Amino acid sequence: MLLLLSLACSGSTGTGGDDTAGSGEFCSTLADGNTYQTLNSGGNGTSGDLVVRVITSESTDPYDPLFVAFKDYSLESEGGGVPTTGRTSGDGLVDVLLGAGNWTFTAAYARGSTTCLATLAFPVDPNTTTYACPVMDCP
């Protein structure tokens, strides 16, 4: 995982953001929120690596004010099939290998009578690593 975060970025950028995905700085501030970036390394001939960090502007943890830890998520392919599910790590991270195609990441949890939600759509290409930074909002 640390190796992936230390790679030099040489890929394309999704809905904005700077070119810092491989440096470990991507998704460290809200300026990177709701964006993704792609590096031209990782994955295999039919799949790509995905590294997601879920952040929020509404922190409840003074030690990690942006990361959304231990929340259930799902990854759904636009092409159908069974969703990939799991929980974010203590640093709000998800690290998975996905088949090539268009995917949507969704994480949600109930906070009182409010449902907090993070969602982001992005492509996954073979032989690449996609870094995604969805922001969890609690209306």
Side-chain angles (χ1 to χ4, degrees):
M1 176 63 175
L2 290 177
L3 176 63
L4 288 176
L5 293 175
S6 65
L7 295 172
C9 185
S10 61
S12 62
T13 300
T15 60
D18 56 24
D19 204 24
T20 59
S23 69
E25 295 176 23
F26 179 69
C27 206
S28 61
T29 69
L30 284 174
D32 295 324
N34 293 321
T35 65
Y36 65 88
Q37 296 181 358
T38 302
L39 296 178
N40 293 324
S41 64
N44 59 42
T46 60
S47 302
D49 288 320
L50 173 67
V51 179
V52 173
R53 171 163 270 153
V54 184
I55 62 174
T56 185
S57 61
E58 299 182 33
S59 175
T60 58
D61 182 351
Y63 299 104
D64 284 324
L66 293 177
F67 305 153
V68 178
F70 308 116
K71 300 300 181 229
D72 293 329
Y73 72 84
S74 69
L75 284 157
E76 295 188 40
S77 172
E78 187 177 278
V82 176
T84 299
T85 60
R87 293 191 99 184
T88 63
S89 74
D91 289 334
L93 291 171
V94 173
D95 188 357
V96 295
L97 180 70
L98 295 174
N102 292 314
W103 290 83
T104 300
F105 174 90
T106 305
Y109 77 99
R111 184 173 80 181
S113 63
T114 302
T115 299
C116 301
L117 180 67
T119 187
L120 184 64
F122 46 82
V124 172
D125 297 315
N127 300 310
T128 65
T129 300
T130 300
Y131 291 86
C133 186
V135 176
M136 183 158 292
D137 291 316
C138 299

